[in-house]
Amino acid sequence: MRDHPLIIELQKLKESSRYAIAHGGKYDLDSFKKYLHIEREVENRLEQIIIQSSHIQYAQLILVCGNVGDGKSHILSYLHNEIPDEIRKFHIHNDATESHNPNESSNDTLYRLLDGFKDERILQSNSKLILAINLGTLSKFIEEYGSEFQKLAKFIQKKAILDNALVSFEDFDPESHFHQINFTDYHLYSLTEKGPISNTIMELVTRIVTSSEANVIYKAYENIKDQSEFSRCPVKFNYEFLFNTKNRQLIVQLIIQSIAQNKEIVSVRSLLNFIHDLIVPIQLSSVNEGDRLKTVLQLSDTEFLNCLIPNYLFEHADLSNLFARLTELDPCNIRNDQTDEKLLKLQSIESPSELFATDIQPELYRSTLESINLDSVNKDTISKYFLRLLFFQNGLIYENNDFHEYITWLYHFNKGNLTYLGKLYELVENAVKKWYGDPKKGDKVVLKLGRRQTKYRAFKDFSLTPEPYILNKTTEPTLHQFIQEFIVSYKSPNPTNPDIRIAIDFSLFKTLKMINLGYRPNRKDNNNFIYFIYFIHEVTQDNQQNKLYIDEVNVGRPIDYKLTKTAFGRYKFELVS
């Protein structure tokens, strides 16, 4: 039996495919790779750096930093065709893809390549090098050879390249030997006042399902779409499901939410792999060539329905981290009176297709019903399919209010909006006071005294001096460079210590909100947010505060006793009236 042409072409999206790798040292993009190329802000910025740096006569080092698979090599390869005259002035080394001399380590290779940028040689050197390097590799190199590259090390520290809590916005400096662009400052989505968007993800998915001379995937689809043996193929159905703009938009928003809530690192390469896995179910991608069409023909109605995107998207946490995050956003996890009523009806109705006909838009399910007998599918699969189709039909009807608030605050935090910064610091300070119980008085904080106390609680006076962590006050309505979590900073109670800083991600943000509404953290919270426990300890350790208040639990007064230390080193214990 012949193989499946559409699956064969879709395999070019897989991370394991030879099409997924670009080397960056030359233009090596075929027509399909070029077709999938999406212009990004990071590319525009890198192009300008190369152009400006190419006109400078003395030594120039451009650090192109980031994580594995984030598109550094692909963009460099693409720029060979866009700015050939400027980029040919540089030697390009990609630390991730170029092989090293077997007799030297990667650090030794870098040491040799960067010879012209040593402190003792850089002023006489006219070397020009573009170094695509992962952050971990750069950190190890500076750790080992930093003493000979102090100018480079100071540049890396000044630009906070290795600090993921900072973003560099500085313009090109023509007086400098060093320039950098950090792919970790840019993300697959952007922040706007109305919510996150991703032209990159949306455009990429759209190109994969758009008719074009260069799109070999669509050509394969055209070859099989009207053939009877493929009439019941879930790969064809999934590909057609993505023709609908609204379906694509919703999947893009789900991907953005998965990334933002979990600080998930999703590269362009892993995104393409995700699109492949979304369209080609594991039941078909894992079988041998030549057996795929046979497998398609043998699928039961229930198996077929489970292979379709509305179901498949939320039920395969084992495929990748991104799929695992999407299972957490499954609309089946959110129940209300309206959906419960429909599910009860679906369980009791003799023909489930009748409820689909009255509640679901025909274009979402009509072709499915033409291929299978919906009434023969088990009720659990039908119920999930029904709820998920409702989700796609209604868009973000189950929108996560916590996430919506988090992403709105994150936009204003990265913009340096003082109103939202004030709300953020107030949220953190209230949670610090209430983590071990509500002190009832605004200027006190409950202390942890070893094992949990049931009769007495200890308090101390509490005040914090914020050192607002303002990233960049910009008037641009759309943010392409930003950090994905809040950073709050306070002066240390001990004046000899540096400021105390903590990062607030979505999970902690959600918990802090709950605490401010009366929630009491449990042992699991203490384990999950051990870094916040340490933060509480740091901000409450004030050596100059010598008053300790003790409350007899449930007596009725918020504070009953006070323990103080006199100027002569003696302790005084007294009742507070």
Side-chain angles (χ1 to χ4, degrees), residues 336-375:
N336 54 46
D337 292 343
Q338 184 180 8
T339 56
D340 284 346
E341 182 182 346
K342 291 183 182 297
L343 286 177
L344 284 173
K345 187 175 181 180
L346 196 60
Q347 293 293 325
S348 60
I349 196 170
E350 186 173 333
S351 177
S353 56
E354 294 178 13
L355 191 60
F356 276 75
T358 58
D359 286 67
I360 306 295
Q361 295 168 354
E363 59 268 24
L364 278 175
Y365 75 96
R366 182 191 294 120
S367 57
T368 303
L369 294 189
E370 292 172 355
S371 303
I372 65 170
N373 178 11
L374 190 64
D375 299 338

Side-chain angles (χ1 to χ4, degrees), residues 120-222:
E120 61 183 27
R121 298 191 182 186
I122 193 168
L123 295 179
Q124 292 76 41
S125 172
N126 60 0
S127 298
K128 279 186 166 58
L129 173 64
I130 296 173
L131 178 59
I133 187 167
N134 295 326
L135 292 174
T137 305
L138 179 62
S139 177
K140 289 178 182 177
F141 176 79
I142 292 299
E143 183 179 342
E144 183 172 353
Y145 292 114
S147 60
E148 296 181 64
F149 295 88
Q150 291 186 34
K151 287 183 172 64
L152 174 59
K154 287 179 181 177
F155 172 80
I156 291 171
Q157 183 178 19
K158 179 184 176 183
K159 297 296 183 180
I161 295 174
L162 300 177
D163 187 346
N164 60 9
L166 289 174
V167 176
S168 177
F169 297 95
E170 293 184 26
D171 295 329
F172 182 87
D173 181 3
E175 303 297 321
S176 177
H177 293 283
F178 308 111
H179 312 283
Q180 67 89 26
I181 185 162
N182 195 338
F183 275 55
T184 62
D185 291 345
Y186 297 82
H187 308 277
L188 286 180
Y189 67 99
S190 303
L191 297 179
T192 75
E193 191 168 12
K194 295 182 179 179
I197 59 172
S198 179
N199 295 330
T200 299
I201 303 176
M202 186 63 184
E203 180 64 20
L204 195 57
V205 178
T206 300
R207 288 194 187 184
I208 287 170
V209 296
T210 297
S211 174
S212 169
E213 187 62 29
N215 189 2
V216 293
I217 295 176
Y218 191 86
K219 287 182 178 179
Y221 163 74
E222 283 191 310

Side-chain angles (χ1 to χ4, degrees), residues 326-342:
L326 287 168
T327 61
E328 299 168 5
L329 303 179
D330 187 354
C332 291
N333 297 335
I334 302 173
R335 304 289 288 271
N336 54 46
D337 292 343
Q338 184 180 8
T339 56
D340 284 346
E341 182 182 346
K342 291 183 182 297

Side-chain angles (χ1 to χ4, degrees), residues 181-291:
I181 185 162
N182 195 338
F183 275 55
T184 62
D185 291 345
Y186 297 82
H187 308 277
L188 286 180
Y189 67 99
S190 303
L191 297 179
T192 75
E193 191 168 12
K194 295 182 179 179
I197 59 172
S198 179
N199 295 330
T200 299
I201 303 176
M202 186 63 184
E203 180 64 20
L204 195 57
V205 178
T206 300
R207 288 194 187 184
I208 287 170
V209 296
T210 297
S211 174
S212 169
E213 187 62 29
N215 189 2
V216 293
I217 295 176
Y218 191 86
K219 287 182 178 179
Y221 163 74
E222 283 191 310
N223 289 335
I224 61 112
K225 67 176 183 178
D226 295 323
Q227 296 184 27
S228 59
E229 56 191 334
F230 294 94
S231 62
R232 198 169 170 277
C233 173
V235 178
K236 180 175 81 78
F237 275 73
N238 287 339
Y239 193 71
E240 291 171 342
F241 187 80
L242 296 177
F243 289 171
N244 186 302
T245 302
K246 187 177 177 182
N247 293 342
R248 296 198 301 272
Q249 288 173 337
L250 185 53
I251 291 172
V252 169
Q253 283 297 316
L254 287 169
I255 293 172
I256 292 174
Q257 187 170 341
S258 297
I259 295 172
Q261 281 191 183
N262 304 285
K263 296 176 294 182
E264 195 69 42
I265 297 176
V266 178
S267 65
V268 174
R269 193 186 304 171
S270 62
L271 177 63
L272 287 170
N273 192 80
F274 167 81
I275 296 170
H276 167 273
D277 291 345
L278 182 65
I279 299 173
V280 184
I282 190 69
Q283 292 94 321
L284 298 178
S285 64
S286 61
V287 300
N288 296 326
E289 292 183 14
D291 292 336

Side-chain angles (χ1 to χ4, degrees), residues 291-497:
D291 292 336
R292 295 179 182 127
L293 194 53
K294 178 181 177 182
T295 304
V296 166
L297 297 173
Q298 291 177 344
L299 289 173
S300 69
D301 288 350
T302 297
E303 289 171 331
F304 171 81
L305 211 58
N306 283 328
C307 286
L308 300 186
I309 283 178
N311 276 340
Y312 196 81
L313 181 64
F314 301 107
E315 294 196 350
H316 289 275
D318 54 319
L319 285 177
S320 68
N321 287 341
L322 184 52
F323 269 101
R325 299 306 183 187
L326 287 168
T327 61
E328 299 168 5
L329 303 179
D330 187 354
C332 291
N333 297 335
I334 302 173
R335 304 289 288 271
N336 54 46
D337 292 343
Q338 184 180 8
T339 56
D340 284 346
E341 182 182 346
K342 291 183 182 297
L343 286 177
L344 284 173
K345 187 175 181 180
L346 196 60
Q347 293 293 325
S348 60
I349 196 170
E350 186 173 333
S351 177
S353 56
E354 294 178 13
L355 191 60
F356 276 75
T358 58
D359 286 67
I360 306 295
Q361 295 168 354
E363 59 268 24
L364 278 175
Y365 75 96
R366 182 191 294 120
S367 57
T368 303
L369 294 189
E370 292 172 355
S371 303
I372 65 170
N373 178 11
L374 190 64
D375 299 338
S376 69
V377 178
N378 72 65
K379 291 294 181 70
D380 182 59
T381 300
I382 291 176
S383 297
K384 290 178 178 179
Y385 188 59
F386 179 81
L387 287 180
R388 290 160 179 166
L389 283 183
L390 275 180
F391 176 67
F392 275 94
Q393 176 174 291
N394 298 325
L396 295 177
I397 189 170
Y398 303 124
E399 186 174 345
N400 186 319
N401 290 326
D402 288 323
F403 174 72
H404 178 73
E405 187 170 11
Y406 175 79
I407 209 72
T408 300
W409 284 32
L410 191 64
Y411 170 78
H412 290 286
F413 169 77
N414 278 276
K415 294 258 304 178
N417 186 318
L418 292 177
T419 298
Y420 280 85
L421 283 174
K423 292 165 67 175
L424 175 63
Y425 277 75
E426 182 180 357
L427 176 71
V428 172
E429 290 163 25
N430 285 337
V432 168
K433 295 173 187 176
K434 296 178 180 179
W435 190 276
Y436 295 119
D438 192 343
K440 304 299 182 184
K441 281 183 173 283
D443 59 347
K444 302 289 187 294
V445 59
V446 179
L447 301 178
K448 182 175 175 61
L449 300 176
R451 66 182 184 181
R452 189 172 181 179
Q453 303 295 314
T454 57
K455 190 172 183 180
Y456 296 100
R457 296 188 303 174
F459 304 78
K460 71 186 302 185
D461 292 319
F462 174 71
S463 64
L464 290 174
T465 304
E467 288 288 320
Y469 199 80
I470 300 175
L471 290 172
N472 181 48
K473 283 196 172 184
T474 175
T475 57
E476 291 294 323
T478 301
L479 300 182
H480 302 290
Q481 282 180 274
F482 56 90
I483 60 173
Q484 295 188 95
E485 57 190 1
F486 305 114
I487 307 293
V488 297
S489 181
Y490 291 95
K491 284 187 177 180
S492 172
N494 188 334
T496 62
N497 292 339

